[in-house]
Structure formats: structure tokens, C-alpha cells
Amino acid sequence: MRYLTIALTKGRLAKKALALLEASGITCDEMHTDSRKLIFVNEELKIKFFLAKATDVPTYVEYGAADIGVVGKDTILEERKNLYEVLDLGFGKCSMVVAGPPEMGALLTHNNAIRVATKYPNIAKDHFYNKKNQKVEIIKLNGSIELAPLVGLSEVIVDIVETGSTLRENGLVVLEQICPISARVVVNRVSLKMEQERIHRIIEGMKENL
Ligand code: PRP
């Protein structure tokens, strides 16, 4: 039997995904230690786990370096990799939105040439170019996106909102909803055919313990 490899997104999603896997009998005690090890193995079940940055999880799964991945819908939409999305885990819930100072709302109703700062250029392009037909300039940033309208880099941002406190504390508001986000299970296309039974069992186990 070959090893099946599961890629988990570092941080909160990994903790919740691991709890779910453990509840369904797929344990990995090693992963709870504070070691610098990158790969953890359950020898009995022939399953390997590793932690990766969110944006890299779809890449590992597309190439088959991981058979299964747990990653946010935001990353799946942004990375546009060739893989199967098989399960909505229902945690890691947040919304992809257009946000900005309240007065910028008016700039979204006409075809204004505004600037949009975001960590998600593909999602922003799809929203503005394809859905709204608004020719905006998209500026890619890597974090603290809320800063952009505060310092005059852009009029609005495209970002995820969870509790809304970052927006609130910076005088920003949600101007448009784009889509709901949550953690998803993704599977490599070839693995799903070759290891159908084992993968199906893992996914069913997670589903039953949601
Ligand atoms: C995310 C997101 C917002 C914030 C939203 O940033 O980009 O900034 O969380 O959460 P809230 O609605 O609960 O305030 P993250 O903390 O991942 O860091 P980043 O800004 O460096 O991307």
C-alpha cells in the first residue's frame, strides 16, 4: 500500500482539520509537538501529513505531491489550480468583499477608474472585469490590505472579512459582497481515480465528524 499524503494549511485551519481527522480515527500525535519537522507520518494507516502556506497547498495537490489538501476557498479561487474540490468543511468562515471608506461606495456604481488593492488579484479581476465590467486598476499587496485606502494607495480593497474588527477599527466598511469563504477539501485528479476507495473513506470520515 502506498502512502497517501495530506497537505494542511498552516495555522488555524490545520488545527481544526487535524482535530477532524483525529475524530475520524486518522491520528497524528507527532504533529502536536513543537518540532521543526516538516512531514509527519501515521505508519499504521500509511498516511503522511505536512503543513504548508495556504497559497502553496493547491500547488502541492495539483502536482500530486499531496493527494489531499485542506485550504480556504479564497486560495482555491485565487490560485485556479486543476484539482477537485470535494468537501466544504464549514469552518474558517469569512466573506470575500470589496471594502473601503464609506464615501467610496459611490465610485462602485459607475464605471469609475479606481484603484483596488488586494492580496487576491484574480478574484478582484473576476469581480470587477467579468461581473461588473468596471475597468479598475488592481494593485497586488501581500498583507495589511486595509492600510491601502488609509494612505491613499487605492480607493477600495478586495479582502476577506471575518469578525469585521479590522475594518471597523480603521473606519472602513463593506461596500460589496463577493462570495462566502470556508475551508475546503481538495483532491488531486489522478489520486481520486487511483486511490478512490481510501480517499473516499477519509472524506466520509471527515464528513461524519463535522
Ligand atoms: C485577514 C484579512 C483582514 C483580517 C480580517 O488578515 O486580510 O486583514 O484578517 O479579519 P477580521 O474581519 O476578523 O478583522 P490576516 O490576519 O490574515 O493578515 P494580513 O493582513 O497580513 O493578510
Side-chain angles (χ1 to χ4, degrees), residues 146 161-172:
E146 291 84 357
V161 178
E162 193 183 353
T163 61
S165 46
T166 312
L167 290 184
R168 246 185 335 268
E169 286 179 29
N170 292 289
L172 306 173

Side-chain angles (χ1 to χ4, degrees), residues 46-120:
K46 288 269 181 285
I47 292 178
K48 289 184 185 176
F49 301 85
F50 67 82
L51 296 174
K53 229 181 125 156
T55 47
D56 293 337
V57 170
T59 306
Y60 284 110
V61 176
E62 182 183 48
Y63 281 91
D67 303 286
I68 300 173
V70 174
V71 66
K73 180 70 177 176
D74 53 333
T75 309
I76 297 170
L77 290 171
E78 182 59 30
E79 296 300 316
R80 300 176 169 176
K81 299 294 184 194
N82 187 15
L83 30 80
Y84 286 120
E85 183 187 317
V86 294
L87 180 63
D88 183 347
L89 293 172
F91 56 73
K93 275 192 179 169
C94 51
S95 303
M96 185 64 66
V97 304
V98 180
E103 64 275 16
M104 293 303 170
L107 299 177
L108 297 170
T109 52
H110 302 101
N111 202 3
N112 289 294
I114 55 169
R115 285 180 299 189
V116 181
T118 186
K119 233 183 335 188
Y120 302 96

Side-chain angles (χ1 to χ4, degrees), residues 36-54:
R36 300 286 295 166
K37 246 176 109 167
L38 295 172
I39 298 179
F40 306 92
V41 189
N42 180 320
E43 288 294 353
E44 199 191 324
L45 299 173
K46 288 269 181 285
I47 292 178
K48 289 184 185 176
F49 301 85
F50 67 82
L51 296 174
K53 229 181 125 156

